[in-house]
Amino acid sequence: MPKVSQEYMDARRAQILDAARRCFLRDGFHSTSMQDLFAESGLSAGSVYRHFASKDDMILAIAEENMREVLALVHSVATNRPSGSVGAVIAEVLDLVSARSAEDDTARLAVLAWSEALRNPALAGQFSTLLTQMRSDLAEVVREHQESGALPGEVTAESIAGALVCLLPGYILQLAMLDPTLVAGVVEGVRALWPAPADS
């Protein structure tokens, strides 16, 4: 039997997850069966199970992918420490979320995943890990701005970062449920709330 390349395996995994997203958005997590996923992906049961042992594994993988780009952006900002405002950092994150949601309905999938996390400890743990990492990375950004005097220093960087992280679920919920025009000004509003220092 010829050896299957990693590129082939990655393509099949992506095919399965794309099919799962379509099914979950159309029918929800609980109404989607594994048979639905086999049919939607156009793959055999064996091919699907080669990549994912269960529907829950697919939900976990989708949730992780949905957060990966956002986390990478926040981590990059924290690591590279560019000049500018905290508002610009958060606005950049919201812009990314908005663009992703326009492409593949990421916001609606996120809201479905949050609901699922209330009954799925593994998914809840994953969200906790990802949000903790995001809070930690944002705290580095906040700490730098505190040291420069752009943000108040009497409140811990972790507390301010925690407050900033709270903006993201609210924005995602609005993207999922409201007309896009109703949230069009949110990103600029965030920039206005935390403008760049006058000398930056």
Side-chain angles (χ1 to χ4, degrees):
M1 182 176 177
K3 184 176 180 181
V4 176
S5 71
Q6 187 60 49
E7 183 179 350
Y8 176 88
M9 294 291 286
D10 291 345
R12 292 293 75 76
R13 184 179 189 277
Q15 181 180 347
I16 294 163
L17 289 181
D18 286 344
R21 286 185 184 91
R22 292 192 298 272
C23 287
F24 295 152
L25 284 169
R26 184 175 61 238
D27 301 318
F29 291 142
H30 297 288
S31 296
T32 297
S33 68
M34 288 301 289
Q35 292 299 325
D36 295 329
L37 293 165
F38 304 151
E40 186 75 25
S41 67
L43 298 172
S44 68
S47 294
V48 172
Y49 282 124
R50 185 174 187 181
H51 294 273
F52 299 99
S54 68
K55 186 171 67 173
D56 279 357
D57 283 352
M58 293 182 210
I59 295 169
L60 284 167
I62 289 170
E64 182 176 1
E65 284 189 7
N66 285 351
M67 295 277 301
R68 188 177 298 140
E69 283 187 39
V70 176
L71 282 169
L73 175 61
V74 173
H75 185 74
S76 173
V77 169
T79 302
N80 299 326
R81 298 195 172 134
S83 59
S85 69
V86 168
V89 173
I90 301 302
E92 203 173 335
V93 171
L94 299 185
D95 272 336
L96 173 63
V97 168
S98 180
R100 280 290 309 277
S101 190
E103 287 174 16
D104 55 20
D105 233 343
T106 302
R108 281 183 58 220
L109 269 172
V111 174
L112 285 171
W114 298 341
S115 175
E116 181 67 11
L118 296 176
R119 60 160 290 281
N120 183 326
L123 187 56
Q126 185 180 47
F127 277 128
S128 177
T129 298
L130 293 170
L131 288 172
T132 297
Q133 182 62 55
M134 183 180 292
R135 188 179 296 113
S136 174
D137 287 343
L138 273 176
E140 289 301 310
V141 176
V142 169
R143 200 169 286 112
E144 180 180 279
H145 284 76
Q146 287 177 319
E147 290 168 1
S148 71
L151 284 174
E154 60 270 16
V155 179
T156 68
E158 289 73 18
S159 295
I160 295 174
L164 294 172
V165 169
C166 288
L167 290 171
L168 185 58
Y171 183 65
I172 290 172
L173 183 63
Q174 290 184 81
L175 282 177
M177 299 184 69
L178 300 180
D179 184 305
T181 60
L182 296 176
V183 294
V186 170
V187 172
E188 287 309 310
V190 167
R191 285 193 178 97
L193 279 173
W194 294 284
D199 59 350
S200 68

